[in-house]
Amino acid sequence: MPILISPSVLNADLANLTDEIGRIGAADFVHLDVMDNHFVPNITFGLPVVERVLATTSVPADVHLMIEAPDVWAPGYAEAGAASVTFHAEASNAPVRLARELRAKGARAGLALRPATPIEGYLDLLDEFDMVLVMTVEPGFGGQSFITGTLPKIRRTRSAITARGGDIWVQVDGGISRDTIGTAAAAGANMFVAGSAVYSAEDPNAEITALRAAATSAYTS
Ligand code: DX5
Ligand code: ZN
């Protein structure tokens, strides 16, 4: 499984997104948190901003939709050219139909689970997705602390994927830092979103490299 670092720009300077993304050349993806103030109590940006990011950067976009009605809105992000589009299981009426639509439009399809949402109902449907995002904080804000109670779900998700022989990524998002990334990687996560850890670092690229090294040495499948 590739070890991938996807810095979130949530805590970057949102008025200078192009420059801020230019500071993370060592990243595998840039994580774009779309919030609608309904699914989560916060609001960020939507499709017009993501379209401009896609037009002005060569880093592949990893879009995380924290919105209601993703069945309606998510396909637009795939059409715009996002490499990966992740929507929340709690918000979608037809996750399999939506994942198929995203894939048909050329994007990777990601299924996100809030900390209290079990993976079990989705285990037989895993082949429909390219990635499962196990939220390691309650979605909505950067800078929160990692919830260690999500580790068993990461482990169960990875072992179900391994048992099926599938090539599905497990992403973690929330509270990922040099202190926590090893535990998440040891539990089976291979894609790591880090917002404040990367953007509060003096040298974001050095931080990305350190995070990748820590995850690589701890990863077990
Ligand atoms: C939170 C967002 C995260 C956030 C992570 O709901 O989905 O992507 O930016 O920020 P940190 O890494 O600071 O917890
Ligand atoms: Zn996110």
Side-chain angles (χ1 to χ4, degrees):
M1 235 4 101
I3 298 293
L4 303 165
I5 307 294
S6 184
S8 161
V9 297
L10 185 61
N11 282 6
D13 179 357
L14 293 177
N16 290 297
L17 263 183
T18 310
D19 289 349
E20 291 287 66
I21 295 169
R23 295 172 66 210
I24 55 162
D28 300 290
F29 287 85
V30 57
H31 185 85
L32 301 171
D33 288 302
V34 174
M35 305 185 189
D36 65 354
N37 208 27
H38 292 277
F39 183 71
V40 288
N42 197 3
I43 190 160
T44 54
F45 45 76
L47 186 56
V49 170
V50 172
E51 282 174 334
R52 288 303 299 148
V53 168
L54 290 166
T56 56
T57 174
S58 55
V59 185
D62 164 34
V63 175
H64 177 194
L65 298 174
M66 285 162 277
I67 61 172
E68 288 184 355
D71 306 80
V72 174
W73 302 110
Y77 292 84
E79 273 163 29
S84 175
V85 179
T86 299
F87 61 88
H88 270 265
E90 306 86 359
S92 173
N93 289 327
V96 171
R97 186 167 62 214
L98 179 53
R100 289 181 178 182
E101 195 175 345
L102 294 172
R103 284 174 154 183
K105 291 181 189 299
R108 296 176 61 85
L111 179 76
L113 306 173
R114 300 183 77 128
T117 303
I119 183 65
E120 276 64 28
Y122 299 95
L123 290 180
D124 291 335
L125 303 171
L126 282 175
D127 292 343
E128 302 284 348
F129 302 95
D130 298 293
M131 183 174 85
V132 176
L133 163 52
V134 177
M135 287 302 298
T136 45
V137 298
E138 288 291 357
F141 303 93
Q144 303 180 76
S145 56
F146 183 86
I147 301 172
T148 53
T150 59
L151 289 166
K153 182 163 60 180
I154 299 169
R155 280 188 214 106
R156 292 197 304 277
T157 303
R158 175 55 71 201
S159 56
I161 291 167
T162 305
R164 295 171 81 83
D167 178 23
I168 301 168
W169 296 350
V170 177
Q171 184 179 70
V172 285
D173 181 6
I176 298 297
S177 68
R178 291 191 204 200
D179 294 335
T180 56
I181 196 166
T183 333
N190 72 293
M191 185 168 184
F192 305 87
V193 178
S196 44
V198 168
Y199 275 101
S200 67
E202 216 164 279
D203 181 346
N205 283 320
E207 193 62 28
I208 290 165
T209 304
L211 289 169
R212 190 184 287 111
T216 302
S217 63
Y219 180 79
T220 48
S221 63

PDB file of all heavy atoms in Angstrom, residues 171-197:
ATOM      1  N   GLN A 171      -7.794   6.098   4.766  1.00  0.00           N
ATOM      2  CA  GLN A 171      -7.334   7.447   5.106  1.00  0.00           C
ATOM      3  C   GLN A 171      -7.758   7.780   6.534  1.00  0.00           C
ATOM      4  O   GLN A 171      -8.835   7.385   6.976  1.00  0.00           O
ATOM      5  CB  GLN A 171      -7.954   8.471   4.138  1.00  0.00           C
ATOM      6  CG  GLN A 171      -7.464   9.907   4.339  1.00  0.00           C
ATOM      7  CD  GLN A 171      -8.100  10.883   3.343  1.00  0.00           C
ATOM      8  OE1 GLN A 171      -9.294  11.178   3.419  1.00  0.00           O
ATOM      9  NE2 GLN A 171      -7.318  11.356   2.395  1.00  0.00           N
ATOM     10  N   VAL A 172      -6.900   8.513   7.222  1.00  0.00           N
ATOM     11  CA  VAL A 172      -7.264   9.068   8.536  1.00  0.00           C
ATOM     12  C   VAL A 172      -7.144  10.589   8.461  1.00  0.00           C
ATOM     13  O   VAL A 172      -6.295  11.123   7.744  1.00  0.00           O
ATOM     14  CB  VAL A 172      -6.384   8.504   9.678  1.00  0.00           C
ATOM     15  CG1 VAL A 172      -6.795   7.076  10.014  1.00  0.00           C
ATOM     16  CG2 VAL A 172      -4.893   8.572   9.344  1.00  0.00           C
ATOM     17  N   ASP A 173      -8.013  11.258   9.194  1.00  0.00           N
ATOM     18  CA  ASP A 173      -8.098  12.717   9.103  1.00  0.00           C
ATOM     19  C   ASP A 173      -8.507  13.269  10.459  1.00  0.00           C
ATOM     20  O   ASP A 173      -9.582  12.951  10.963  1.00  0.00           O
ATOM     21  CB  ASP A 173      -9.149  13.072   8.037  1.00  0.00           C
ATOM     22  CG  ASP A 173      -9.320  14.566   7.825  1.00  0.00           C
ATOM     23  OD1 ASP A 173      -8.556  15.362   8.405  1.00  0.00           O
ATOM     24  OD2 ASP A 173     -10.242  14.940   7.068  1.00  0.00           O
ATOM     25  N   GLY A 174      -7.607  14.074  11.029  1.00  0.00           N
ATOM     26  CA  GLY A 174      -7.915  14.732  12.300  1.00  0.00           C
ATOM     27  C   GLY A 174      -6.894  14.402  13.370  1.00  0.00           C
ATOM     28  O   GLY A 174      -6.706  13.235  13.728  1.00  0.00           O
ATOM     29  N   GLY A 175      -6.163  15.421  13.795  1.00  0.00           N
ATOM     30  CA  GLY A 175      -5.210  15.232  14.882  1.00  0.00           C
ATOM     31  C   GLY A 175      -3.975  14.435  14.499  1.00  0.00           C
ATOM     32  O   GLY A 175      -3.295  13.867  15.365  1.00  0.00           O
ATOM     33  N   ILE A 176      -3.678  14.368  13.187  1.00  0.00           N
ATOM     34  CA  ILE A 176      -2.494  13.601  12.753  1.00  0.00           C
ATOM     35  C   ILE A 176      -1.250  14.493  12.872  1.00  0.00           C
ATOM     36  O   ILE A 176      -1.187  15.594  12.330  1.00  0.00           O
ATOM     37  CB  ILE A 176      -2.669  13.104  11.309  1.00  0.00           C
ATOM     38  CG1 ILE A 176      -3.878  12.155  11.189  1.00  0.00           C
ATOM     39  CG2 ILE A 176      -1.386  12.433  10.821  1.00  0.00           C
ATOM     40  CD1 ILE A 176      -3.770  10.872  11.993  1.00  0.00           C
ATOM     41  N   SER A 177      -0.275  13.974  13.598  1.00  0.00           N
ATOM     42  CA  SER A 177       0.979  14.691  13.832  1.00  0.00           C
ATOM     43  C   SER A 177       2.081  13.647  13.976  1.00  0.00           C
ATOM     44  O   SER A 177       1.809  12.438  13.901  1.00  0.00           O
ATOM     45  CB  SER A 177       0.884  15.498  15.131  1.00  0.00           C
ATOM     46  OG  SER A 177       0.830  14.596  16.225  1.00  0.00           O
ATOM     47  N   ARG A 178       3.288  14.107  14.216  1.00  0.00           N
ATOM     48  CA  ARG A 178       4.371  13.146  14.451  1.00  0.00           C
ATOM     49  C   ARG A 178       4.065  12.246  15.643  1.00  0.00           C
ATOM     50  O   ARG A 178       4.543  11.120  15.712  1.00  0.00           O
ATOM     51  CB  ARG A 178       5.683  13.889  14.721  1.00  0.00           C
ATOM     52  CG  ARG A 178       6.224  14.603  13.500  1.00  0.00           C
ATOM     53  CD  ARG A 178       7.634  15.068  13.761  1.00  0.00           C
ATOM     54  NE  ARG A 178       7.996  16.185  12.904  1.00  0.00           N
ATOM     55  CZ  ARG A 178       9.243  16.554  12.636  1.00  0.00           C
ATOM     56  NH1 ARG A 178      10.257  15.907  13.198  1.00  0.00           N
ATOM     57  NH2 ARG A 178       9.482  17.587  11.857  1.00  0.00           N
ATOM     58  N   ASP A 179       3.260  12.748  16.591  1.00  0.00           N
ATOM     59  CA  ASP A 179       2.947  11.953  17.789  1.00  0.00           C
ATOM     60  C   ASP A 179       1.916  10.854  17.521  1.00  0.00           C
ATOM     61  O   ASP A 179       1.885   9.860  18.235  1.00  0.00           O
ATOM     62  CB  ASP A 179       2.372  12.864  18.897  1.00  0.00           C
ATOM     63  CG  ASP A 179       3.406  13.841  19.402  1.00  0.00           C
ATOM     64  OD1 ASP A 179       4.614  13.549  19.282  1.00  0.00           O
ATOM     65  OD2 ASP A 179       2.994  14.911  19.907  1.00  0.00           O
ATOM     66  N   THR A 180       1.039  11.053  16.547  1.00  0.00           N
ATOM     67  CA  THR A 180      -0.078  10.116  16.374  1.00  0.00           C
ATOM     68  C   THR A 180       0.008   9.297  15.086  1.00  0.00           C
ATOM     69  O   THR A 180      -0.669   8.270  14.973  1.00  0.00           O
ATOM     70  CB  THR A 180      -1.418  10.884  16.364  1.00  0.00           C
ATOM     71  OG1 THR A 180      -1.363  11.893  15.339  1.00  0.00           O
ATOM     72  CG2 THR A 180      -1.685  11.551  17.704  1.00  0.00           C
ATOM     73  N   ILE A 181       0.802   9.743  14.120  1.00  0.00           N
ATOM     74  CA  ILE A 181       0.756   9.096  12.802  1.00  0.00           C
ATOM     75  C   ILE A 181       1.208   7.637  12.866  1.00  0.00           C
ATOM     76  O   ILE A 181       0.662   6.776  12.158  1.00  0.00           O
ATOM     77  CB  ILE A 181       1.560   9.910  11.753  1.00  0.00           C
ATOM     78  CG1 ILE A 181       1.178   9.470  10.326  1.00  0.00           C
ATOM     79  CG2 ILE A 181       3.076   9.826  11.991  1.00  0.00           C
ATOM     80  CD1 ILE A 181       1.652  10.405   9.230  1.00  0.00           C
ATOM     81  N   GLY A 182       2.150   7.334  13.740  1.00  0.00           N
ATOM     82  CA  GLY A 182       2.645   5.963  13.842  1.00  0.00           C
ATOM     83  C   GLY A 182       1.563   5.007  14.313  1.00  0.00           C
ATOM     84  O   GLY A 182       1.420   3.891  13.789  1.00  0.00           O
ATOM     85  N   THR A 183       0.774   5.441  15.279  1.00  0.00           N
ATOM     86  CA  THR A 183      -0.306   4.579  15.794  1.00  0.00           C
ATOM     87  C   THR A 183      -1.338   4.313  14.707  1.00  0.00           C
ATOM     88  O   THR A 183      -1.827   3.186  14.564  1.00  0.00           O
ATOM     89  CB  THR A 183      -1.046   5.282  16.960  1.00  0.00           C
ATOM     90  OG1 THR A 183      -0.167   6.189  17.586  1.00  0.00           O
ATOM     91  CG2 THR A 183      -1.616   4.308  17.930  1.00  0.00           C
ATOM     92  N   ALA A 184      -1.676   5.358  13.950  1.00  0.00           N
ATOM     93  CA  ALA A 184      -2.670   5.186  12.881  1.00  0.00           C
ATOM     94  C   ALA A 184      -2.125   4.278  11.785  1.00  0.00           C
ATOM     95  O   ALA A 184      -2.842   3.429  11.249  1.00  0.00           O
ATOM     96  CB  ALA A 184      -3.062   6.546  12.312  1.00  0.00           C
ATOM     97  N   ALA A 185      -0.844   4.427  11.450  1.00  0.00           N
ATOM     98  CA  ALA A 185      -0.233   3.587  10.421  1.00  0.00           C
ATOM     99  C   ALA A 185      -0.142   2.138  10.898  1.00  0.00           C
ATOM    100  O   ALA A 185      -0.415   1.202  10.135  1.00  0.00           O
ATOM    101  CB  ALA A 185       1.151   4.117  10.056  1.00  0.00           C
ATOM    102  N   ALA A 186       0.205   1.954  12.153  1.00  0.00           N
ATOM    103  CA  ALA A 186       0.306   0.588  12.697  1.00  0.00           C
ATOM    104  C   ALA A 186      -1.060  -0.088  12.695  1.00  0.00           C
ATOM    105  O   ALA A 186      -1.162  -1.309  12.582  1.00  0.00           O
ATOM    106  CB  ALA A 186       0.889   0.627  14.098  1.00  0.00           C
ATOM    107  N   ALA A 187      -2.128   0.705  12.794  1.00  0.00           N
ATOM    108  CA  ALA A 187      -3.483   0.137  12.763  1.00  0.00           C
ATOM    109  C   ALA A 187      -3.935  -0.178  11.341  1.00  0.00           C
ATOM    110  O   ALA A 187      -4.953  -0.844  11.149  1.00  0.00           O
ATOM    111  CB  ALA A 187      -4.456   1.110  13.427  1.00  0.00           C
ATOM    112  N   GLY A 188      -3.201   0.347  10.333  1.00  0.00           N
ATOM    113  CA  GLY A 188      -3.538  -0.003   8.954  1.00  0.00           C
ATOM    114  C   GLY A 188      -3.882   1.164   8.047  1.00  0.00           C
ATOM    115  O   GLY A 188      -4.216   0.952   6.879  1.00  0.00           O
ATOM    116  N   ALA A 189      -3.810   2.394   8.548  1.00  0.00           N
ATOM    117  CA  ALA A 189      -4.048   3.539   7.662  1.00  0.00           C
ATOM    118  C   ALA A 189      -2.841   3.734   6.756  1.00  0.00           C
ATOM    119  O   ALA A 189      -1.696   3.519   7.174  1.00  0.00           O
ATOM    120  CB  ALA A 189      -4.284   4.804   8.492  1.00  0.00           C
ATOM    121  N   ASN A 190      -3.096   4.121   5.498  1.00  0.00           N
ATOM    122  CA  ASN A 190      -1.962   4.387   4.593  1.00  0.00           C
ATOM    123  C   ASN A 190      -2.015   5.777   3.976  1.00  0.00           C
ATOM    124  O   ASN A 190      -1.079   6.182   3.284  1.00  0.00           O
ATOM    125  CB  ASN A 190      -1.900   3.338   3.478  1.00  0.00           C
ATOM    126  CG  ASN A 190      -3.004   3.508   2.457  1.00  0.00           C
ATOM    127  OD1 ASN A 190      -4.175   3.314   2.791  1.00  0.00           O
ATOM    128  ND2 ASN A 190      -2.658   3.889   1.241  1.00  0.00           N
ATOM    129  N   MET A 191      -3.089   6.522   4.226  1.00  0.00           N
ATOM    130  CA  MET A 191      -3.169   7.882   3.688  1.00  0.00           C
ATOM    131  C   MET A 191      -3.517   8.816   4.839  1.00  0.00           C
ATOM    132  O   MET A 191      -4.492   8.577   5.558  1.00  0.00           O
ATOM    133  CB  MET A 191      -4.208   7.975   2.584  1.00  0.00           C
ATOM    134  CG  MET A 191      -4.245   9.349   1.910  1.00  0.00           C
ATOM    135  SD  MET A 191      -5.228   9.273   0.399  1.00  0.00           S
ATOM    136  CE  MET A 191      -5.010  10.918  -0.243  1.00  0.00           C
ATOM    137  N   PHE A 192      -2.723   9.871   4.971  1.00  0.00           N
ATOM    138  CA  PHE A 192      -2.769  10.676   6.190  1.00  0.00           C
ATOM    139  C   PHE A 192      -3.035  12.138   5.842  1.00  0.00           C
ATOM    140  O   PHE A 192      -2.252  12.775   5.124  1.00  0.00           O
ATOM    141  CB  PHE A 192      -1.442  10.544   6.938  1.00  0.00           C
ATOM    142  CG  PHE A 192      -1.101   9.099   7.227  1.00  0.00           C
ATOM    143  CD1 PHE A 192      -0.405   8.334   6.299  1.00  0.00           C
ATOM    144  CD2 PHE A 192      -1.539   8.493   8.395  1.00  0.00           C
ATOM    145  CE1 PHE A 192      -0.129   6.996   6.528  1.00  0.00           C
ATOM    146  CE2 PHE A 192      -1.271   7.152   8.644  1.00  0.00           C
ATOM    147  CZ  PHE A 192      -0.563   6.400   7.704  1.00  0.00           C
ATOM    148  N   VAL A 193      -4.127  12.643   6.383  1.00  0.00           N
ATOM    149  CA  VAL A 193      -4.423  14.070   6.252  1.00  0.00           C
ATOM    150  C   VAL A 193      -3.790  14.767   7.455  1.00  0.00           C
ATOM    151  O   VAL A 193      -3.938  14.305   8.584  1.00  0.00           O
ATOM    152  CB  VAL A 193      -5.944  14.321   6.244  1.00  0.00           C
ATOM    153  CG1 VAL A 193      -6.241  15.815   6.163  1.00  0.00           C
ATOM    154  CG2 VAL A 193      -6.591  13.568   5.091  1.00  0.00           C
ATOM    155  N   ALA A 194      -3.074  15.836   7.195  1.00  0.00           N
ATOM    156  CA  ALA A 194      -2.500  16.601   8.304  1.00  0.00           C
ATOM    157  C   ALA A 194      -2.661  18.074   7.962  1.00  0.00           C
ATOM    158  O   ALA A 194      -2.165  18.533   6.934  1.00  0.00           O
ATOM    159  CB  ALA A 194      -1.033  16.250   8.502  1.00  0.00           C
ATOM    160  N   GLY A 195      -3.398  18.770   8.794  1.00  0.00           N
ATOM    161  CA  GLY A 195      -3.642  20.184   8.553  1.00  0.00           C
ATOM    162  C   GLY A 195      -2.718  21.040   9.376  1.00  0.00           C
ATOM    163  O   GLY A 195      -1.696  21.552   8.894  1.00  0.00           O
ATOM    164  N   SER A 196      -3.030  21.178  10.657  1.00  0.00           N
ATOM    165  CA  SER A 196      -2.228  22.078  11.488  1.00  0.00           C
ATOM    166  C   SER A 196      -0.785  21.604  11.618  1.00  0.00           C
ATOM    167  O   SER A 196       0.130  22.426  11.667  1.00  0.00           O
ATOM    168  CB  SER A 196      -2.886  22.274  12.861  1.00  0.00           C
ATOM    169  OG  SER A 196      -3.338  21.062  13.368  1.00  0.00           O
ATOM    170  N   ALA A 197      -0.555  20.292  11.628  1.00  0.00           N
ATOM    171  CA  ALA A 197       0.838  19.811  11.771  1.00  0.00           C
ATOM    172  C   ALA A 197       1.704  20.327  10.629  1.00  0.00           C
ATOM    173  O   ALA A 197       2.857  20.730  10.841  1.00  0.00           O
ATOM    174  CB  ALA A 197       0.867  18.283  11.816  1.00  0.00           C
TER     175      ALA A 197
END
